Amino acid sequence: MVDFSARFATGIEQQNWDALVTANPGGGNMLQSAAFAEVKSHHGWRPRFVVLDGPGYTSHNLILEKKLPVIGALWYLIKGPAVTDAAHVPGAARAVADLARREGHNVFAIKVEPDLIDTPELRDAFTAAGLVKTFNLQPNDSTAILDTTPEANQLLRNLHSRGRNAVRRALREGVEVQRMEPSEETFRAMYSLMGHIEDRSAARMRSFEYYSRFWQNFVDAGQGRFYFVHEDGEPSVGAFVINYGSKGTYKDGGSRPGRKQYGDSHLVQWRAITDLKDEFGIVEYDFCGTPPSDQLKDTSHPHHGLGLFKTSFTKTVTDFAGCYDVVVSGWKYRVWTTIAERVARQVHWRRTHQPFY
């Protein structure tokens, strides 16, 4: 096993968190950002900022902590640990567990979620190291990612024909995409558009308060923006996109059914992609969630329709490793998986009508 050491970040490191995260192996992830950490701090999680020193590199990792009665604390390395190789994950996780013990934190399990592509070799290595596969938590554990490095004309030609034709038709027919001011009115309109998607899929929305804090945090950090199309004077398509380091992400979206402007949703994405490419030099754009690659054609999958739209830009679906549990206390973890997690999620839902994670 590759050796790592772990420590909590200093105050100076926390002040420069995003610059450090985006220098991680893999370029970081917007769910490891300072903006997202602050959001989760208002929804039952305590952010902890951890530095891992490994074989020739250092990475900066956000941990979300949830304290639970009797059994102690759950640590969630959201989209982490950031490492260069799947073989490094067990050692990095062990270092985090050692940090928890050394600093007196009563941690019974650590969720890891490395941004590494899922392979049989990765699964075998994690299982051999004692990591326990559990259900995935993030929508983009399977996702469509577009390579945005080609120049704009070539990038348009590289799109899947369905997406390319929709963008070109929308341009010909004069569909207009507007970048919106991040006002309360925009937030309300965006949330309303997202509700239409919820009506047509298995997606479940969080509260308006959650989204408004999320959007405002990323806007304030210079990392988030809104794009709308209007029809008959009303918002008909909306998207909130994020630039984080060299990556763009289509984080939230919504649209009214029965629209007349063909290709409007595709043109919103094209405008966002080209803006982020021009202004921030993004090298990839994550459409943030599709069915897994082996279920993409399954019409019964709850995200089948979203998958069709997103793969109209790029045919390839990337499956990431997803979530694994690192067991720190055997008996407490058995209590957690047998009953405590189910009860905690049910109680949290009854109290807040929001997802536990």
Side-chain angles (χ1 to χ4, degrees):
M1 187 181 294
V2 179
D3 287 330
F4 282 79
S5 63
R7 61 176 175 82
F8 290 120
T10 65
I12 295 296
E13 286 170 324
Q14 290 184 44
Q15 291 173 20
N16 296 287
W17 189 249
D18 289 329
L20 294 169
V21 169
T22 54
N24 277 348
N29 189 289
M30 59 97 178
L31 294 181
Q32 300 166 326
S33 66
F36 185 68
E38 201 279 336
V39 172
K40 299 304 282 187
S41 73
H42 294 271
H43 294 272
W45 296 88
R46 176 175 178 174
R48 295 192 179 276
F49 303 90
V50 170
V51 182
L52 284 166
D53 287 307
Y57 65 94
T58 298
S59 74
H60 297 77
N61 299 264
L62 174 63
I63 292 178
L64 300 175
E65 177 185 274
K66 176 88 74 172
K67 289 189 175 180
L68 299 141
V70 182
I71 58 175
L74 174 69
W75 277 11
Y76 174 20
L77 265 82
I78 188 165
K79 289 297 178 181
V83 294
T84 60
D85 190 279
H88 293 184
V89 171
R94 183 180 64 181
V96 172
D98 290 343
L99 171 67
R101 294 189 190 97
R102 188 169 71 246
E103 297 292 335
H105 298 278
N106 184 23
V107 174
F108 67 88
I110 300 167
K111 285 190 176 294
V112 297
E113 190 179 57
D115 243 0
L116 298 170
I117 293 175
D118 188 29
T119 64
E121 293 76 19
L122 177 145
R123 293 192 292 271
D124 290 345
F126 285 10
T127 300
L131 277 63
V132 180
K133 184 71 182 83
T134 185
F135 54 89
N136 293 345
L137 295 174
Q138 298 305 326
N140 61 342
D141 285 324
S142 290
T143 190
I145 298 176
L146 178 67
D147 175 5
T148 57
T149 56
E151 58 86 23
N153 288 333
Q154 185 59 53
L155 180 57
L156 182 58
R157 288 193 291 268
N158 288 354
L159 301 188
H160 188 293
S161 60
R162 286 186 292 124
R164 182 173 64 250
N165 293 338
V167 168
R168 286 175 169 166
R169 179 170 166 182
L171 288 169
R172 285 196 309 271
E173 296 183 0
V175 175
E176 294 185 7
V177 177
Q178 293 178 286
R179 183 172 168 188
M180 304 298 294
E181 289 297 318
S183 63
E184 174 80 6
E185 182 181 4
T186 297
F187 287 11
R188 292 286 179 185
M190 184 73 212
Y191 194 72
S192 177
L193 289 170
M194 291 168 65
H196 293 298
I197 296 296
E198 183 181 36
D199 293 342
R200 305 195 298 270
S201 77
R204 287 295 174 264
M205 292 169 59
R206 296 179 185 267
S207 67
F208 175 76
E209 289 71 25
Y210 181 97
Y211 284 108
S212 60
R213 183 180 295 276
F214 184 101
W215 295 331
Q216 192 66 61
N217 279 9
F218 278 93
V219 167
D220 289 346
Q223 298 165 345
R225 56 179 63 184
F226 293 89
Y227 292 95
F228 279 12
V229 167
H230 291 77
E231 191 171 283
D232 299 325
E234 296 293 331
S236 55
V237 178
F240 181 74
V241 303
I242 290 172
N243 57 278
Y244 194 69
S246 63
K247 300 177 180 179
T249 300
Y250 170 33
K251 173 58 179 65
D252 297 311
S255 60
R256 289 205 326 249
R259 303 183 313 281
K260 295 173 287 187
Q261 299 180 110
Y262 184 86
D264 49 6
S265 294
H266 287 84
L267 191 59
V268 165
Q269 293 302 310
W270 179 246
R271 167 75 185 276
I273 289 165
T274 52
D275 279 2
L276 297 189
K277 177 177 168 61
D278 291 343
E279 295 176 39
F280 301 101
I282 64 166
V283 300
E284 66 177 48
Y285 186 82
D286 183 354
F287 284 89
C288 205
T290 66
S293 56
D294 62 355
Q295 300 176 52
L296 195 58
K297 296 182 179 180
D298 180 1
T299 57
S300 66
H301 193 281
H303 301 308
H304 176 70
L306 292 174
L308 284 178
F309 172 70
K310 294 171 181 181
T311 55
S312 69
F313 291 87
T314 174
K315 294 179 182 179
T316 305
V317 167
T318 300
D319 296 314
F320 288 103
C323 266
Y324 285 78
D325 287 345
V326 178
V327 180
V328 180
S329 169
W331 76 266
K332 290 180 180 179
Y333 184 71
R334 285 192 294 274
V335 172
W336 174 246
T337 55
T338 302
I339 188 170
E341 182 178 26
R342 183 171 67 254
V343 171
R345 295 178 72 178
Q346 290 172 348
V347 169
H348 184 79
W349 179 259
R350 285 199 296 269
R351 287 177 176 172
T352 68
H353 293 288
Q354 300 294 299
F356 179 81
Y357 291 102

